[in-house]
Amino acid sequence: MKQSSHVQQRILALQGAVLNDSTLHDLDRTDYRLLREIVEDGRISDVTLGERVHLSSTAASRRRKILEERGMVPHYTASLDLNRLGLGIVVHVSIELQSQAEHLLNEFEAAVIKCPSMSYCSFVSGDTDFMMIVHVRSFEDYDRVYRSEISTLPHVAKIRSSFVMRRVADRMVPPALFQGRT
C-alpha cells in the first residue's frame, strides 16, 4: 500500500468536510429544483427561474442568493467548445511521483498549476498520484506540451497518457444529485 499518513490525513479531512456538512440537510425540494435549473442555465433570469420552480421571481431570487451565500453555487462559468476553438484533442495524464512526502506534493502542485495546457488536476488514490486533463491542437502539440510542461514537473517518477477517442458523457453535475429530491 503506497499511501502515506499525509495522504490518509488528506482523505480523512475531505471525508469529514463532506460528512459533517449539515447544510445538505437544510435543502428542500425547491432548493434542489432551483439548483437543477441553474445547472442547466446559469444565466437564467429570476422571472424564468421562478416560473420553472413555481415561485415568484422575488422568492426565486432570494433563494438563489441564499444558495450562493451558503456556497452551494460558488461561481458561474461559461462552457466553451474547445474543439471549435482549436483544442480538439483531450489527453488524460496519470502522474506518479517519486515520493509522497508533503514538501514534494506541495512543490508538484505549485508547479502543475502553472501548466498552461492543463485544465484539471487532482490528487487521487490508487496506483497513481495525480490525474490531469490536457487540451491540445494535435499529436505534435501534445509532444511539445509533454516535453515543455509535463515532463519538467518536479519529482515525477512515471507519466502515462491516454488520448480521448470519443466523449461519451460530459456533465458538470451528476443527475443522481436531483433524483428523488425534485
Side-chain angles (χ1 to χ4, degrees), residues 27-36 178 181-182:
L27 298 178
D28 63 17
R29 293 176 82 80
T30 302
D31 290 322
Y32 280 103
R33 288 196 310 261
L34 285 162
L35 289 170
R36 186 184 62 216
F178 304 114
R181 294 185 170 133
T182 57

Side-chain angles (χ1 to χ4, degrees), residues 101-112:
E102 184 170 8
H103 73 281
L104 299 183
L105 291 170
N106 292 337
E107 289 173 18
F108 176 84
E109 290 172 5
V112 81

